Amino acid sequence: MKISSRFRSAAFAVIAAAGVSFAGAAHADSGTIRFSVYKAAFFIGGSGGEGTLTFHGRRYPISIGGISGGLAFGASKTYFQGKVRNIRRARDVTGVYGAAGGGGALGRGAQVIVMTNDKGARLELTGRQVGLQVNADLSGMSIGLKR
């Protein structure tokens, strides 16, 4: 069986591209993140907050903004902390993260969430929530580095 040079070239290009992407993922690093978010909703909700990303021993202040829609009402404050994975530099954590979920808190509650942005940064968060909040919604959160 004779393999065409065109097929061999294409196969080599695919293998080389896969090797580069695996090598890039191997060099990605992780950090820790903490932030608090205030959320208020009556079917459509908004949220905002601030916190800190710690990456390679440096602390970076971050800002949080978001919007949600669905069955949601109430107001709460949630304190999140966790890991940020798949980042090469601090600004890789910036961007929009989306989530679908549900939950609630009457007084106090807990949350666990995993989200990914368009740069591949992965947030693995736990949180404790205070307030009155009931939700079954789609939400988006934006993280930005403060200057």
Side-chain angles (χ1 to χ4, degrees):
M1 175 179 212
K2 187 175 181 180
I3 299 176
S4 74
S5 64
R6 187 182 227 175
F7 178 78
R8 255 185 281 142
S9 297
F12 179 75
V14 168
I15 292 169
V20 168
S21 70
F22 286 134
H27 294 311
D29 210 344
S30 64
T32 59
I33 192 166
R34 297 174 162 263
F35 59 91
S36 59
V37 175
Y38 291 94
K39 183 176 182 180
F42 186 74
F43 293 102
I44 295 175
S47 60
E50 58 187 15
T52 305
L53 166 69
T54 304
F55 183 63
H56 288 182
R58 292 191 58 202
R59 300 180 82 191
Y60 300 88
I62 57 172
S63 61
I64 310 294
I67 189 166
S68 63
L71 175 60
F73 69 90
S76 66
K77 181 177 184 179
T78 307
Y79 302 91
F80 285 104
Q81 65 180 14
K83 285 276 192 192
V84 180
R85 300 191 190 280
N86 268 356
I87 59 175
R88 290 186 176 84
R89 53 195 170 272
R91 71 174 177 252
D92 288 348
V93 78
T94 64
V96 176
Y97 297 80
L106 176 60
R108 295 178 189 263
Q111 290 191 352
V112 175
I113 192 163
V114 176
M115 298 185 287
T116 304
N117 72 5
D118 61 333
K119 297 174 192 133
R122 180 182 168 100
L123 300 179
E124 299 169 356
L125 304 170
T126 59
R128 46 182 228 282
Q129 188 174 15
V130 178
L132 170 61
Q133 181 81 41
V134 176
N135 65 301
D137 58 5
L138 297 174
S139 59
M141 178 176 72
S142 174
I143 296 179
L145 290 177
K146 289 183 176 181
R147 294 188 186 256

